[in-house]
Amino acid sequence: MNNAANIVTDDAYEFLSVERPVAAPLYQTSLFTYPSVDALRQGIKDESLTHLYSRGNNPTVEQVEDRIAALEGGEQAKLFSAGVSAIASSILSCVKQNDHIVCSNDSYVWAQYISSTYLSRFGVSVTFVDATDLEAVEKAIQKNTKVLYLESPGSMQLRVQNLPRLAALAKAYKLTSIVDNTWATPLYQNPLAMGIDLVVHSASKYLGGHSDVIGGVVVGSKALVGRIFKTEFLPIGHVPDPFQAWLIQRGMRTLHVRLPFHYASALKVCDYLYDSNKIAKVNYPMHPKSPWYSLASEQMTGGSGLLSLEVKSKDVQKIEEAVDRLKMFRIGVSWGGYESLVFPTLVSSPNNPSLIRLHIGLEDPKSLISDLDQAFSVL
Ligand SMILES: *Cc1c(COP(=O)(O)O)cnc(C)c1O
């Protein structure tokens, strides 16, 4: 396991400023100048190696990239303007017309959109599979398959995919394997060490950690990330603003302090939910009662604050009333910041109104449990 505390707090960047500031300098600049024509000539040869223009590289952005690469145990990372741009660029960099992708049917909804609706415009096809089923994944692979796109634990149901075996399968068929590791963060899961080729994150969640910034990142080998830099990042311009990157690096300094708190509180909330007679199902793979616990604890060393549950009631109005009664859980999308949040799936998928997603924030877990208890009492 990596030593996160050192990686996020070591002042490895003091060379950036002669004044040796304790907070990271913010290079809010669009371009960099050269001392001579010859220096510019050398710089322009390979934009990935120089500070030419902030659509390519910027020192504040690189600081985040180097830290995430270190945490994930990857050779190189590239920060993007959003998680979805990191996902889209990773997939796009691997495919051309008439290629095929295998994509987990549990993946983030916009990753599914990119793999199907978006890429179908360019003649790339997709098969969605239950990636917890290795046989189903192998069956879905075709001669023209180039990418195996995964997310573990998966969105909403938080089911766990066997990453080492899926990585081996991808290698056997010469596919690029990509895993969305947003839920576990680089602190608790490192898919590259399991043989996965590329890891993507939404930095808008725990890396930023304060619900005040959007960002994304891709981590992997120099060859793969370098290719994404040249073929998608630079020409399309999925650039993170330096201040966006600055906020992410600031958030990351407390990642190893925040995550254990989210994890401990989520376990306490799960204990309450497992005991409640209003609840039919709890989805949190790092709880010992979860059917995914054994595989989950082989692949992850901890859990985050995101879980979902199914209430026993199927009464949409009652469920809506219960969610409206919550005081500490604010109603909204996204997660990963200080605050507890609730997302009832009845707003988007009426076929399963009982499924509710909770983000367990950094408030006192006892107060969060009392709040859930008073709200669910109407069910
Ligand atoms: C939020 C999220 C994304 C998308 O990230 P953005 O930063 O919102 O573009 C991708 N994957 C997962 C698992 C997410 O939760």
Side-chain angles (χ1 to χ4, degrees):
M1 206 58 214
N2 50 50
N3 190 345
N6 287 339
I7 289 165
V8 295
T9 57
D10 269 4
D11 190 4
Y13 289 85
E14 56 188 40
F15 68 88
L16 289 175
S17 165
V18 288
E19 284 84 19
R20 302 165 62 91
V22 67
L26 169 57
Y27 286 77
Q28 190 71 31
T29 182
S30 65
L31 77 140
F32 303 86
T33 57
Y34 290 79
S36 67
V37 173
D38 190 51
L40 172 65
R41 183 187 293 122
Q42 296 307 319
I44 222 159
K45 274 187 192 156
D46 186 348
E47 200 166 339
S48 68
L49 302 175
T50 188
H51 296 140
L52 175 77
Y53 187 46
S54 286
R55 176 153 53 75
N57 284 322
N58 172 289
T60 307
V61 175
E62 281 164 20
Q63 190 182 39
V64 182
E65 290 166 350
D66 290 353
R67 286 175 184 191
I68 296 174
L71 284 173
E72 280 291 9
E75 281 177 359
Q76 202 175 324
K78 190 74 208 117
L79 196 71
F80 282 74
S81 53
V84 291
S85 42
I87 293 168
S89 297
S90 307
I91 298 174
L92 280 162
S93 73
C94 298
V95 293
K96 57 178 184 355
Q97 197 175 16
N98 299 324
D99 283 344
H100 174 254
I101 297 169
V102 174
C103 181
S104 157
N105 61 11
D106 242 4
S107 57
Y108 185 66
V109 59
W110 289 105
Q112 296 194 38
Y113 174 88
I114 293 156
S115 305
S116 56
T117 313
Y118 186 85
L119 279 174
S120 69
R121 288 163 46 197
F122 307 99
V124 176
S125 57
V126 61
T127 305
F128 289 105
V129 289
D130 173 358
T132 66
D133 178 346
L134 285 149
E135 264 175 49
V137 174
E138 187 160 16
K139 261 195 206 137
I141 298 170
Q142 305 174 4
K143 279 209 169 66
N144 55 344
T145 307
K146 296 288 156 60
V147 174
L148 175 59
Y149 187 87
L150 306 165
E151 179 179 327
S152 183
S155 278
M156 290 314 291
Q157 308 275 349
L158 300 163
R159 299 180 319 143
V160 179
Q161 298 159 7
N162 190 323
L163 295 181
R165 293 193 55 191
L166 287 161
L169 193 64
K171 279 212 165 52
Y173 287 91
K174 297 193 166 58
L175 319 181
T176 303
S177 52
I178 307 173
V179 171
D180 184 329
N181 195 28
T182 304
W183 188 86
T185 83
L187 206 62
Y188 289 150
Q189 179 167 260
N190 296 131
L192 299 174
M194 303 177 210
I196 294 291
D197 296 312
L198 286 171
V199 170
V200 290
H201 286 277
S202 167
S204 323
K205 312 296 163 46
Y206 292 112
L207 295 174
H210 295 77
S211 306
D212 54 9
V213 65
I214 300 285
V217 68
V218 181
V219 200
S221 67
K222 275 206 168 86
L224 287 180
V225 178
R227 188 176 74 194
I228 294 167
F229 178 82
K230 287 188 174 139
T231 61
E232 329 297 329
F233 182 87
L234 255 186
I236 299 176
H238 294 301
V239 203
D241 189 76
F243 184 56
Q244 211 179 331
W246 190 91
L247 284 170
I248 295 167
Q249 68 76 28
R250 187 178 65 165
M252 282 183 66
R253 290 165 69 125
T254 54
L255 183 70
H256 63 298
V257 181
R258 290 181 280 113
L259 257 291
F261 195 100
H262 285 291
Y263 180 29
S265 294
L267 287 173
K268 286 178 192 152
V269 171
C270 287
D271 287 340
Y272 159 76
L273 294 170
Y274 274 114
D275 284 347
S276 163
N277 62 3
K278 312 283 185 188
I279 306 297
K281 193 165 177 238
V282 182
N283 300 311
Y284 188 79
M286 286 305 286
H287 192 282
K289 285 188 184 162
S290 163
W292 301 103
Y293 181 68
S294 134
L295 180 59
S297 45
E298 272 173 36
Q299 298 183 176
M300 298 186 279
T301 50
S304 64
L306 193 76
L307 59 93
S308 70
L309 59 95
E310 278 176 41
V311 293
K312 284 183 184 159
S313 171
K314 304 268 178 245
D315 182 337
V316 179
Q317 247 174 332
K318 279 271 176 231
I319 298 168
E320 187 162 337
E321 190 190 332
V323 173
D324 279 336
R325 278 173 68 103
L326 286 164
K327 294 193 178 71
M328 297 193 63
F329 289 82
R330 295 202 261 167
I331 302 168
V333 297
S334 195
W335 42 280
Y338 169 85
E339 54 287 318
S340 290
L341 295 164
V342 56
F343 179 80
T345 53
L346 61 86
V347 294
S348 51
S349 36
N351 46 346
N352 191 5
S354 308
L355 184 65
I356 296 172
R357 188 178 76 184
L358 296 179
H359 176 247
I360 310 305
L362 297 175
E363 305 93 339
D364 175 17
K366 278 200 200 98
S367 310
L368 295 176
I369 290 168
S370 320
D371 193 29
L372 291 169
D373 203 48
Q374 64 79 20
F376 290 155
S377 67
V378 299
L379 296 174

Short mmCIF file of all heavy atoms in Angstrom, two decimals, residues 81-85 87 107-111 149 151 153 155 180-183 200-205 213-216 306 334-335 357, ligand 1:
data_model
loop_
_atom_site.label_atom_id
_atom_site.label_comp_id
_atom_site.label_asym_id
_atom_site.label_seq_id
_atom_site.Cartn_x
_atom_site.Cartn_y
_atom_site.Cartn_z
N SER A 81 -10.40 18.57 -17.39
CA SER A 81 -11.38 19.55 -16.91
C SER A 81 -12.51 18.89 -16.13
O SER A 81 -13.15 19.52 -15.30
CB SER A 81 -11.94 20.34 -18.08
OG SER A 81 -12.44 19.44 -19.06
N ALA A 82 -12.79 17.60 -16.38
CA ALA A 82 -13.88 16.90 -15.70
C ALA A 82 -13.61 15.41 -15.74
O ALA A 82 -12.84 14.93 -16.59
CB ALA A 82 -15.22 17.20 -16.37
N GLY A 83 -14.26 14.68 -14.87
CA GLY A 83 -14.17 13.22 -14.91
C GLY A 83 -14.60 12.68 -16.26
O GLY A 83 -13.96 11.78 -16.82
N VAL A 84 -15.69 13.23 -16.80
CA VAL A 84 -16.19 12.71 -18.08
C VAL A 84 -15.20 12.95 -19.23
O VAL A 84 -15.10 12.13 -20.14
CB VAL A 84 -17.59 13.26 -18.47
CG1 VAL A 84 -18.67 12.71 -17.55
CG2 VAL A 84 -17.61 14.77 -18.50
N SER A 85 -14.43 14.04 -19.18
CA SER A 85 -13.46 14.25 -20.26
C SER A 85 -12.29 13.27 -20.13
O SER A 85 -11.75 12.82 -21.14
CB SER A 85 -12.98 15.70 -20.35
OG SER A 85 -12.74 16.25 -19.09
N ILE A 87 -12.63 10.23 -18.94
CA ILE A 87 -13.21 8.96 -19.39
C ILE A 87 -13.30 8.93 -20.92
O ILE A 87 -12.84 7.99 -21.59
CB ILE A 87 -14.62 8.75 -18.77
CG1 ILE A 87 -14.51 8.54 -17.26
CG2 ILE A 87 -15.36 7.59 -19.44
CD1 ILE A 87 -15.84 8.61 -16.52
N SER A 107 -21.65 0.99 -15.02
CA SER A 107 -20.74 2.13 -14.99
C SER A 107 -21.51 3.44 -14.97
O SER A 107 -22.71 3.49 -15.25
CB SER A 107 -19.77 2.06 -16.17
OG SER A 107 -20.47 2.02 -17.38
N TYR A 108 -20.78 4.49 -14.64
CA TYR A 108 -21.33 5.84 -14.56
C TYR A 108 -22.13 6.15 -15.83
O TYR A 108 -21.71 5.82 -16.94
CB TYR A 108 -20.16 6.82 -14.41
CG TYR A 108 -20.55 8.24 -14.20
CD1 TYR A 108 -21.20 8.64 -13.04
CD2 TYR A 108 -20.27 9.22 -15.16
CE1 TYR A 108 -21.56 9.96 -12.83
CE2 TYR A 108 -20.61 10.54 -14.96
CZ TYR A 108 -21.26 10.91 -13.79
OH TYR A 108 -21.61 12.22 -13.60
N VAL A 109 -23.28 6.77 -15.65
CA VAL A 109 -24.24 6.92 -16.74
C VAL A 109 -23.64 7.63 -17.97
O VAL A 109 -23.90 7.27 -19.11
CB VAL A 109 -25.55 7.57 -16.25
CG1 VAL A 109 -25.29 8.94 -15.64
CG2 VAL A 109 -26.58 7.68 -17.35
N TRP A 110 -22.76 8.63 -17.73
CA TRP A 110 -22.17 9.34 -18.87
C TRP A 110 -21.08 8.52 -19.55
O TRP A 110 -20.79 8.71 -20.73
CB TRP A 110 -21.64 10.72 -18.45
CG TRP A 110 -22.77 11.66 -18.16
CD1 TRP A 110 -23.21 12.06 -16.93
CD2 TRP A 110 -23.67 12.25 -19.10
NE1 TRP A 110 -24.30 12.89 -17.06
CE2 TRP A 110 -24.60 13.03 -18.38
CE3 TRP A 110 -23.77 12.21 -20.51
CZ2 TRP A 110 -25.62 13.76 -19.00
CZ3 TRP A 110 -24.77 12.94 -21.12
CH2 TRP A 110 -25.68 13.70 -20.38
N ALA A 111 -20.46 7.59 -18.82
CA ALA A 111 -19.49 6.67 -19.46
C ALA A 111 -20.26 5.76 -20.41
O ALA A 111 -19.78 5.41 -21.50
CB ALA A 111 -18.76 5.86 -18.40
N TYR A 149 -14.12 -1.57 -20.48
CA TYR A 149 -14.35 -0.44 -19.59
C TYR A 149 -15.09 -0.89 -18.32
O TYR A 149 -16.18 -1.44 -18.40
CB TYR A 149 -15.15 0.67 -20.30
CG TYR A 149 -15.23 1.90 -19.43
CD1 TYR A 149 -14.23 2.86 -19.48
CD2 TYR A 149 -16.27 2.06 -18.52
CE1 TYR A 149 -14.27 3.98 -18.64
CE2 TYR A 149 -16.31 3.16 -17.67
CZ TYR A 149 -15.30 4.11 -17.74
OH TYR A 149 -15.33 5.19 -16.90
N GLU A 151 -15.93 -0.33 -13.84
CA GLU A 151 -16.04 0.57 -12.69
C GLU A 151 -16.32 -0.31 -11.48
O GLU A 151 -17.33 -1.02 -11.46
CB GLU A 151 -17.18 1.58 -12.89
CG GLU A 151 -17.36 2.53 -11.73
CD GLU A 151 -18.49 3.54 -11.98
OE1 GLU A 151 -18.71 3.94 -13.14
OE2 GLU A 151 -19.16 3.89 -11.00
N PRO A 153 -16.16 -0.41 -7.11
CA PRO A 153 -17.53 -0.89 -7.17
C PRO A 153 -18.35 -0.08 -8.19
O PRO A 153 -18.05 1.07 -8.44
CB PRO A 153 -18.07 -0.63 -5.76
CG PRO A 153 -16.88 -0.37 -4.90
CD PRO A 153 -15.82 0.14 -5.77
N SER A 155 -21.60 1.83 -10.13
CA SER A 155 -22.49 2.91 -9.74
C SER A 155 -23.81 2.36 -9.19
O SER A 155 -24.28 1.33 -9.63
CB SER A 155 -22.78 3.81 -10.94
OG SER A 155 -21.73 4.73 -11.15
N ASP A 180 -12.80 2.91 -13.67
CA ASP A 180 -13.18 4.11 -12.93
C ASP A 180 -13.03 3.78 -11.45
O ASP A 180 -13.72 2.92 -10.92
CB ASP A 180 -14.63 4.48 -13.29
CG ASP A 180 -15.09 5.78 -12.64
OD1 ASP A 180 -14.61 6.11 -11.54
OD2 ASP A 180 -15.96 6.46 -13.23
N ASN A 181 -12.09 4.47 -10.79
CA ASN A 181 -11.73 4.17 -9.40
C ASN A 181 -12.19 5.28 -8.45
O ASN A 181 -11.64 5.46 -7.37
CB ASN A 181 -10.20 4.00 -9.32
CG ASN A 181 -9.73 3.34 -8.04
OD1 ASN A 181 -10.46 2.56 -7.42
ND2 ASN A 181 -8.51 3.65 -7.62
N THR A 182 -13.21 6.04 -8.89
CA THR A 182 -13.64 7.21 -8.11
C THR A 182 -14.11 6.82 -6.70
O THR A 182 -13.81 7.51 -5.73
CB THR A 182 -14.77 7.95 -8.85
OG1 THR A 182 -14.31 8.29 -10.16
CG2 THR A 182 -15.18 9.21 -8.13
N TRP A 183 -14.85 5.73 -6.59
CA TRP A 183 -15.45 5.38 -5.29
C TRP A 183 -14.40 5.11 -4.23
O TRP A 183 -14.45 5.64 -3.12
CB TRP A 183 -16.38 4.16 -5.44
CG TRP A 183 -17.18 3.88 -4.19
CD1 TRP A 183 -18.39 4.44 -3.85
CD2 TRP A 183 -16.83 2.99 -3.11
NE1 TRP A 183 -18.81 3.95 -2.63
CE2 TRP A 183 -17.88 3.06 -2.16
CE3 TRP A 183 -15.76 2.13 -2.87
CZ2 TRP A 183 -17.88 2.32 -0.98
CZ3 TRP A 183 -15.76 1.40 -1.68
CH2 TRP A 183 -16.81 1.49 -0.75
N VAL A 200 -9.20 5.86 -14.22
CA VAL A 200 -9.77 7.21 -14.33
C VAL A 200 -10.49 7.56 -13.02
O VAL A 200 -10.95 6.67 -12.31
CB VAL A 200 -10.77 7.34 -15.51
CG1 VAL A 200 -10.05 7.28 -16.84
CG2 VAL A 200 -11.87 6.28 -15.44
N HIS A 201 -10.51 8.85 -12.72
CA HIS A 201 -11.20 9.35 -11.53
C HIS A 201 -11.98 10.60 -11.87
O HIS A 201 -11.52 11.40 -12.68
CB HIS A 201 -10.20 9.80 -10.46
CG HIS A 201 -9.51 8.70 -9.74
ND1 HIS A 201 -10.07 8.05 -8.67
CD2 HIS A 201 -8.28 8.16 -9.92
CE1 HIS A 201 -9.20 7.14 -8.23
NE2 HIS A 201 -8.12 7.17 -8.97
N SER A 202 -13.10 10.78 -11.19
CA SER A 202 -13.68 12.10 -11.12
C SER A 202 -13.05 12.77 -9.90
O SER A 202 -13.31 12.37 -8.77
CB SER A 202 -15.20 12.01 -10.93
OG SER A 202 -15.68 13.28 -10.56
N ALA A 203 -12.22 13.78 -10.14
CA ALA A 203 -11.59 14.51 -9.02
C ALA A 203 -12.60 15.43 -8.34
O ALA A 203 -12.31 16.01 -7.30
CB ALA A 203 -10.39 15.31 -9.53
N SER A 204 -13.80 15.53 -8.94
CA SER A 204 -14.87 16.34 -8.35
C SER A 204 -15.37 15.72 -7.04
O SER A 204 -16.08 16.37 -6.28
CB SER A 204 -16.06 16.44 -9.31
OG SER A 204 -15.62 16.53 -10.64
N LYS A 205 -15.04 14.45 -6.80
CA LYS A 205 -15.55 13.77 -5.61
C LYS A 205 -14.51 13.89 -4.48
O LYS A 205 -14.26 14.98 -4.04
CB LYS A 205 -15.89 12.31 -5.96
CG LYS A 205 -16.73 12.17 -7.26
CD LYS A 205 -18.10 12.82 -7.16
CE LYS A 205 -18.80 13.08 -8.48
NZ LYS A 205 -18.83 12.06 -9.46
N VAL A 213 -15.25 22.05 -6.80
CA VAL A 213 -14.45 22.00 -8.03
C VAL A 213 -14.82 20.76 -8.84
O VAL A 213 -15.24 19.74 -8.29
CB VAL A 213 -12.93 22.00 -7.69
CG1 VAL A 213 -12.51 20.75 -6.93
CG2 VAL A 213 -12.07 22.16 -8.94
N ILE A 214 -14.73 20.89 -10.17
CA ILE A 214 -14.93 19.76 -11.09
C ILE A 214 -13.56 19.42 -11.67
O ILE A 214 -12.77 20.32 -11.97
CB ILE A 214 -15.89 20.17 -12.24
CG1 ILE A 214 -17.26 20.59 -11.71
CG2 ILE A 214 -16.02 19.06 -13.28
CD1 ILE A 214 -18.17 19.51 -11.25
N GLY A 215 -13.29 18.15 -11.85
CA GLY A 215 -12.02 17.75 -12.46
C GLY A 215 -11.99 16.26 -12.68
O GLY A 215 -12.82 15.52 -12.14
N GLY A 216 -11.05 15.82 -13.51
CA GLY A 216 -10.91 14.39 -13.77
C GLY A 216 -9.45 14.06 -14.00
O GLY A 216 -8.63 14.96 -14.23
N LEU A 306 -20.00 6.62 0.19
CA LEU A 306 -21.17 6.48 -0.69
C LEU A 306 -21.76 5.08 -0.56
O LEU A 306 -21.07 4.09 -0.72
CB LEU A 306 -20.76 6.73 -2.14
CG LEU A 306 -21.94 6.93 -3.09
CD1 LEU A 306 -22.54 8.32 -2.91
CD2 LEU A 306 -21.52 6.73 -4.54
N SER A 334 -24.13 14.11 -7.14
CA SER A 334 -22.72 14.15 -6.78
C SER A 334 -22.50 13.75 -5.31
O SER A 334 -23.44 13.39 -4.59
CB SER A 334 -22.10 15.53 -7.07
OG SER A 334 -20.69 15.42 -7.04
N TRP A 335 -21.22 13.78 -4.89
CA TRP A 335 -20.83 13.30 -3.56
C TRP A 335 -19.34 13.53 -3.39
O TRP A 335 -18.67 13.97 -4.32
CB TRP A 335 -21.17 11.80 -3.40
CG TRP A 335 -20.86 10.94 -4.60
CD1 TRP A 335 -21.63 10.81 -5.72
CD2 TRP A 335 -19.70 10.11 -4.82
NE1 TRP A 335 -21.03 9.94 -6.61
CE2 TRP A 335 -19.86 9.49 -6.09
CE3 TRP A 335 -18.57 9.81 -4.06
CZ2 TRP A 335 -18.90 8.61 -6.62
CZ3 TRP A 335 -17.63 8.92 -4.58
CH2 TRP A 335 -17.81 8.34 -5.85
N ARG A 357 -29.75 6.61 -2.81
CA ARG A 357 -28.30 6.70 -2.59
C ARG A 357 -28.01 7.74 -1.51
O ARG A 357 -28.62 8.82 -1.52
CB ARG A 357 -27.61 7.09 -3.90
CG ARG A 357 -26.10 7.01 -3.82
CD ARG A 357 -25.45 7.37 -5.12
NE ARG A 357 -25.48 8.82 -5.33
CZ ARG A 357 -25.04 9.41 -6.44
NH1 ARG A 357 -24.59 8.67 -7.45
NH2 ARG A 357 -25.08 10.72 -6.57
C1 LIG B 1 -19.09 11.96 -10.91
C2 LIG B 1 -18.55 10.74 -11.53
C3 LIG B 1 -17.97 10.76 -12.80
C4 LIG B 1 -17.95 11.99 -13.66
O1 LIG B 1 -17.11 12.95 -13.18
P1 LIG B 1 -17.32 14.52 -13.44
O2 LIG B 1 -16.19 15.12 -12.70
O3 LIG B 1 -18.67 14.88 -12.89
O4 LIG B 1 -17.25 14.74 -14.90
C5 LIG B 1 -17.43 9.59 -13.29
N1 LIG B 1 -17.47 8.45 -12.58
C6 LIG B 1 -18.03 8.40 -11.36
C7 LIG B 1 -18.04 7.09 -10.64
C8 LIG B 1 -18.59 9.53 -10.80
O5 LIG B 1 -19.17 9.46 -9.61
#
